[in-house]
Amino acid sequence: MRVTFTVNGRRQEADDVWEGESLLYVLRERMGLPGSKNACEQGECGSCTVRLDGVPVCSCLVAAGQVEGRDVVTVEGLADYAKQRAERGGCGTGACGTSIDAAKQWEASPADSQTGENTELSPIQQAFIDAGAVQCGFCTPGLLVAADELLERNDSPSDADIREALSGNLCRCTGYEKILDAVRLAAARGEGQTAGQGA
């Protein structure tokens, strides 16, 4: 079957998709987007997390056919997505998360958000680097996508909020403290920019 959907602001088609093929496989193998990692294939580790119509999902558990006509943002498109969200005033309507209509209005800029090359980093990506939260990097894409969604809906999360938002993401290198520091740092840097926008 052919599946047509939007990936990082660009309309994409995948041909000859078989019934059991996952969104993760299509992204990595058919579209050349290796950011989402293939680890457990059971939705347990979160390393394959992407945003589907604004909601974080484990792409290994989503059948490719389920994304027909929908919008996917991977870690490669996160910076551009965050930039456009900021230009539109953060959590635009004052409601938490991204509405399906807002996700559909997102478009890739001339920089290559398809691969993430030649783009500025999103605030959460920069915070991960500045806080030293990246070690081997295998879990980082999923953590970034989940943390970005958290900060979109809650611009001043408590430690409990951060832990809950990242609870579906495993990191085998750290004790998570640097990761928590990175989310705290991104939230602190974003406070004046989107104050009152989140929950």
Side-chain angles (χ1 to χ4, degrees):
M1 82 176 119
R2 171 179 285 167
V3 180
T4 304
F5 59 109
T6 302
V7 181
N8 297 335
R10 294 187 179 149
R11 187 173 178 270
Q12 300 283 346
E13 289 183 352
D15 289 323
D16 300 321
V17 174
W18 54 278
E19 292 176 10
E21 202 163 314
S22 70
L23 173 59
L24 176 62
Y25 183 87
V26 169
L27 292 171
R28 289 181 58 83
E29 305 302 328
R30 294 178 179 266
M31 296 184 175
L33 295 170
S36 302
K37 303 303 182 205
N38 185 3
C40 71
E41 295 184 345
Q42 297 176 1
E44 296 291 329
C45 71
S47 64
C48 66
T49 302
V50 299
R51 292 183 75 169
L52 179 60
D53 292 334
V55 178
V57 298
C58 290
S59 61
C60 70
L61 296 180
V62 177
Q66 291 179 293
V67 300
E68 176 68 36
R70 298 175 76 183
D71 295 285
V72 174
V73 177
T74 67
V75 71
E76 289 92 346
L78 196 60
D80 199 34
Y81 186 74
K83 181 178 178 185
Q84 289 189 33
R85 179 179 59 231
E87 289 170 356
R88 293 187 174 131
C91 198
T93 63
C96 297
T98 302
S99 71
I100 292 175
D101 290 336
K104 288 181 179 178
Q105 292 174 3
W106 179 67
E107 294 179 9
S109 66
D112 194 0
S113 69
Q114 177 68 14
T115 62
E117 295 176 42
N118 301 319
T119 61
E120 292 182 24
L121 297 176
S122 72
I124 190 65
Q125 288 170 317
Q126 188 62 55
F128 263 62
I129 291 169
D130 295 344
V134 179
Q135 290 199 12
C136 83
F138 203 81
C139 66
T140 305
L143 286 163
L144 288 168
V145 171
D148 180 74
E149 190 275 338
L150 166 67
L151 294 173
E152 178 181 289
R153 66 182 159 80
N154 183 350
D155 60 5
S156 187
S158 67
D159 281 358
D161 294 333
I162 297 168
R163 283 185 168 89
E164 176 65 25
L166 302 182
S167 65
N169 298 80
L170 300 178
C171 176
R172 291 177 174 91
C173 299
T174 71
Y176 295 97
E177 199 55 43
K178 295 287 187 183
I179 294 166
L180 297 174
D181 288 347
V183 179
R184 290 182 200 114
L185 179 60
R189 287 177 176 169
E191 276 178 9
Q193 296 174 13
T194 59
Q197 298 291 327

